[in-house]
């Protein structure tokens, strides 16, 4: 497995060095907003952060994985940094990719031309207490409303809302938070934040499984290739 990790690291490093930006999701925009954790509701999650009602400032990066022209479909990324989720100076990073919402589709990236016409998921599972669940972000539209094709165009009209949910195999989606975006600004690839769901995780809420470790190696290679500091 070490050889596979090394290969992923080297490949991401070379692409990032060539681009002078992240190996994938090199073009995007940053958004500011607020994440509201619902709390335990009718059933506990077994994770202190999920079971406690609270609100946090959030910094969100929306991006296109391959950088295709805007009129063409692409795998879209939604990177969410929840500031101070684990205490002062300890953020939580959640990375979502455009996907389906069904039992299989939630694990597969889905090319999509528009930012707000479908679900985003973590694709790979998170350990949430004593269970592994996929996390997802669903756009919420107030009727009657046809969303603009890009996130920044929609934000020019009104705040953008997402419902964050989690589900294990055989479970329905269960909401755990809402995310409201209210402003957008440019995010050049060579100065973008270094989101890292492994370094910025919480006790009882963190990426799980071998494929997540492989992805972590690729993130490290991408940071090294563009000369970014490791996440603190």
């Amino acid at each position: 497995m070490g050889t596979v990790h090394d290969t992923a690291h080297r490949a991401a490093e070379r692409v990032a060095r060539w681009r002078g930006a992240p190996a994938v999701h090199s073009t995007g925009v940053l958004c500011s907003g607020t994440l509201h954790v619902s709390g335990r509701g009718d059933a506990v999650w077994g994770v202190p952060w999920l079971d406690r009602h609270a609100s946090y400032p959030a910094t969100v990066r929306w991006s296109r994985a391959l950088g295709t022209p805007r009129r063409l479909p692409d795998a879209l990324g939604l990177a969410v940094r929840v500031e101070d989720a684990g205490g002062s100076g300890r953020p939580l990073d959640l990375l979502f990719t455009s996907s389906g919402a069904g039992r299989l589709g939630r694990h597969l990236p889905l090319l999509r031309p528009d930012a707000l016409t479908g679900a985003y998921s973590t694709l790979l599972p998170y350990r949430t207490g004593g269970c592994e669940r996929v996390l997802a972000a669903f756009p919420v539209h107030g009727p009657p409303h046809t969303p603009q094709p890009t996130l920044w165009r929609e934000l020019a009209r009104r705040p953008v809302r997402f419902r964050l949910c989690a589900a294990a195999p055989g479970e329905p989606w269960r909401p755990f938070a809402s995310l409201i975006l209210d402003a957008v600004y440019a995010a050049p690839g060579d100065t973008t934040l270094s989101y890292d769901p492994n370094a910025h995780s919480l006790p009882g809420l963190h990426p799980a499984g071998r494929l997540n470790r492989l992805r972590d190696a690729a993130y490290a290679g991408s940071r090294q290739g563009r000369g970014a500091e490791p996440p603190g």
Side-chain angles (χ1 to χ4, degrees):
M1 183 61 71
T3 301
V4 176
H5 289 178
D6 292 344
T7 299
H9 185 286
R10 288 195 300 268
E13 179 185 358
R14 289 169 181 168
V15 174
R17 183 180 295 115
W18 172 69
R19 282 185 159 184
V24 292
H25 295 285
S26 60
T27 58
V29 293
L30 283 177
C31 308
S32 60
T34 305
L35 186 137
H36 303 280
V37 179
S38 308
R40 66 180 61 188
D42 295 332
V44 298
W45 291 96
V47 180
W49 186 76
L50 291 175
D51 286 329
R52 182 177 62 250
H53 177 73
S55 297
Y56 305 88
T59 304
V60 176
R61 187 174 189 266
W62 178 83
S63 58
R64 300 175 69 86
L66 304 177
T68 60
R70 292 177 185 172
R71 66 182 181 277
L72 298 178
D74 203 335
L76 308 179
L78 195 70
V80 180
R81 172 159 296 174
V82 187
E83 307 289 353
D84 301 328
S88 179
R90 294 178 57 195
L92 168 67
D93 285 351
L94 302 173
L95 303 189
F96 302 96
T97 301
S98 53
S99 70
R103 291 184 62 182
L104 295 179
R106 69 187 65 173
H107 297 288
L108 301 173
L110 179 65
L111 302 185
R112 188 181 296 146
D114 296 342
L116 300 172
T117 54
Y120 294 75
S121 89
T122 56
L123 302 181
L124 301 175
Y126 266 65
R127 171 64 60 177
T128 54
C131 184
E132 290 188 2
R133 294 182 172 93
V134 171
L135 312 184
F138 296 91
V140 177
H141 307 300
H145 177 51
T146 300
Q148 291 292 306
T150 59
L151 192 59
W152 59 91
R153 290 178 185 169
E154 182 68 7
L155 276 167
R157 302 171 58 186
R158 68 189 79 200
V160 170
R161 300 172 184 268
F162 291 89
R163 184 176 72 256
L164 272 56
C165 301
E171 286 184 347
W173 289 110
R174 178 183 169 191
F176 67 86
S178 61
L179 175 64
I180 303 174
L181 307 182
D182 51 29
V184 63
Y185 47 98
D190 59 351
T191 60
T192 188
L193 290 173
S194 291
Y195 290 87
D196 190 315
N198 289 286
H200 296 154
S201 60
L202 298 177
L205 183 64
H206 53 82
R210 291 183 177 180
L211 288 178
N212 267 308
R213 291 195 291 273
L214 182 63
R215 186 165 63 176
D216 188 39
Y219 291 157
S222 179
R223 287 193 300 271
Q224 185 171 332
R226 63 189 178 91
E229 292 292 329

